Amino acid sequence: MKLQKILFSFDGRIGRRTYWLAILALIVAGLISTFAPFLLDSEEAAVLMVALTSQFIWLLSLWPILAVGSKRLHDRNKNGWWLLVFWLLPFALFCGGVSIYLFNDPSTGRSGDFSTGSILIFASLPPALWGIVELGILPGTKGPNLYGADPAQQPA
């Protein structure tokens, strides 16, 4: 399968090795583009470049991350919408827990509720770990399935 199809198409299936290599490449590219401005001579220029480009770079990588995850789920004979459970749910629970834990209650002037925030943060772990196991550890279905031919049986 061509690199363009791996990173930008939601059709087909990919194996675990291709999934991990694609995710690793996207993480490395994101980190390099985020921290490369610090090589500039001026510290102020580097900070400004990071502030302006890092969010944009990570936003651009969202499409390939979703495409790679979707194809990996297809290999497991699952719909790509499962990414909502594996990525969006843990992110929402974690952010909710952190916001409850950190931010002050304006009516009382106290900091947030530690126990509720902690519960939400810890509740984000099971779906995230399940996603890692489902996407990166468990093998795909043998032979063709609803989403195409077995990538293990196709020539490289």
Side-chain angles (χ1 to χ4, degrees), residues 4-152:
Q4 182 177 358
K5 183 169 181 170
I6 291 171
L7 294 178
F8 298 107
S9 171
F10 285 80
D11 297 329
R13 297 167 59 178
I14 59 172
R16 291 173 287 189
R17 180 174 180 245
T18 304
Y19 171 77
W20 283 115
L21 288 173
I23 292 296
L24 179 65
L26 289 167
I27 289 171
V28 167
L31 289 173
I32 288 171
S33 63
T34 299
F35 293 109
F38 285 113
L39 299 175
L40 299 173
D41 290 338
S42 167
E43 184 178 326
E44 293 82 15
V47 170
L48 179 63
M49 288 295 291
V50 168
L52 294 176
T53 61
S54 63
Q55 276 37 327
F56 182 70
I57 296 298
W58 288 105
L59 187 61
L60 282 178
S61 68
L62 183 61
W63 185 275
I65 287 171
L66 292 174
V68 168
S70 180
K71 282 194 285 298
R72 181 65 191 124
L73 283 168
H74 289 171
D75 192 40
R76 300 270 309 128
N77 207 21
K78 295 185 183 306
N79 193 306
W81 287 103
W82 275 98
L83 290 176
L84 292 174
V85 174
F86 298 143
W87 290 345
L88 187 61
L89 178 62
F91 179 75
L93 288 170
F94 183 82
C95 289
V98 168
S99 66
I100 288 172
Y101 180 70
L102 291 180
F103 294 118
N104 291 336
D105 181 3
S107 63
T108 63
R110 300 182 334 195
S111 56
D113 183 13
F114 176 75
S115 61
T116 305
S118 298
I119 290 169
L120 287 176
I121 290 170
F122 286 116
S124 71
L125 292 175
L129 293 174
W130 178 28
I132 291 169
V133 169
E134 191 76 37
L135 292 166
I137 297 174
L138 295 177
T141 56
K142 300 282 185 208
N145 66 17
L146 293 173
Y147 301 99
D150 188 349

